[in-house]
Amino acid sequence: MRISSSMQKALNGQISKEFGASYLYLAMAAYFAEKNLNGFARWMRMQALEESKHAMKIFDFVEDRGGRVTLEAVDRPPPDFPNPLAVFEHARDHEAKVSAGIHQLFEMAGGEKDFATQATLQWFITEQVEEEKTSTEIVETLRMIGDNASGLYMFDKELGRRGSSD
Ligand code: FEO
């Protein structure tokens, strides 16, 4: 079944949101690199790559369904952040918004009896559970570390060990 024009439009919107998330994580990577928190910077770079893969997953899906991808503007990320905790709080809140958007798309696909789109979105729903969990855990750890410089140093090293497949 060819994708409906309304679903195509909504998924095109999601493609730009995923690229927007990628862009946001790159801005965060740049912030951390400037602060010499290279583990956090590496983690953010990996996350940016993940997000562009998410965008391409939807891109490919729209094409596979006989639809037409049209790219929209990507939101400009903040130019700076107050501190590492604020960066991860922003990331966590952003992921919660992404989840809400995916849930809306899933609901819309259900309304259209577009089960193929629902199946693809199911993957994203599961992925978002993981992404929200990870960012929330990092926020909690950074809160615990507070102003402790050696704690921040150790945590930076730990996040820098993130593998490319995460
Ligand atoms: Fe692909 Fe984390 O949203």
Side-chain angles (χ1 to χ4, degrees):
M1 184 179 79
R2 193 190 161 99
I3 199 162
S4 73
S5 60
S6 51
M7 202 70 236
Q8 172 180 295
K9 187 168 187 295
L11 290 176
N12 272 318
Q14 189 61 30
I15 292 171
S16 74
K17 285 190 187 132
E18 298 289 346
F19 277 126
S22 181
Y23 222 44
L24 174 66
Y25 285 123
L26 276 182
M28 292 171 170
Y31 164 83
F32 283 127
E34 192 200 19
K35 301 271 177 267
N36 267 325
L37 289 164
N38 295 318
F40 292 156
R42 178 179 146 76
W43 192 94
M44 286 295 177
R45 275 177 177 244
M46 309 292 298
Q47 191 62 28
L49 278 178
E50 285 296 306
E51 297 299 352
S52 53
K53 281 192 215 159
H54 293 172
M56 291 312 297
K57 211 177 177 78
I58 302 172
F59 191 111
D60 290 341
F61 177 74
V62 170
E63 291 193 338
D64 288 349
R65 295 286 308 285
R68 168 72 156 92
V69 170
T70 44
L71 295 176
E72 297 174 6
V74 169
D75 287 341
R76 182 173 181 236
D80 204 4
F81 301 92
N83 53 53
L85 174 61
V87 176
F88 278 99
E89 283 175 337
H90 191 121
R92 177 205 56 196
D93 295 348
H94 188 82
E95 288 303 335
K97 272 191 230 154
V98 171
S99 299
I102 298 277
H103 295 166
Q104 273 180 0
L105 289 174
F106 188 84
E107 204 174 357
M108 181 181 169
E112 293 191 8
K113 296 197 187 315
D114 182 347
F115 304 118
T117 295
Q118 279 197 313
T120 288
L121 291 172
Q122 188 70 58
W123 182 90
F124 282 88
I125 291 171
T126 308
E127 174 73 9
Q128 283 307 121
V129 170
E130 196 55 39
E131 298 218 331
E132 283 193 59
K133 173 174 171 266
T134 304
S135 54
T136 301
E137 281 172 358
I138 295 173
V139 165
E140 297 299 325
T141 305
L142 283 172
R143 283 214 179 109
M144 210 163 54
I145 288 169
D147 290 333
N148 183 327
S150 60
L152 191 66
Y153 176 84
M154 298 295 285
F155 194 40
D156 178 63
K157 293 276 167 276
E158 186 185 328
L159 284 198
R161 285 194 287 271
R162 173 179 181 168
S164 58
S165 60
D166 286 2

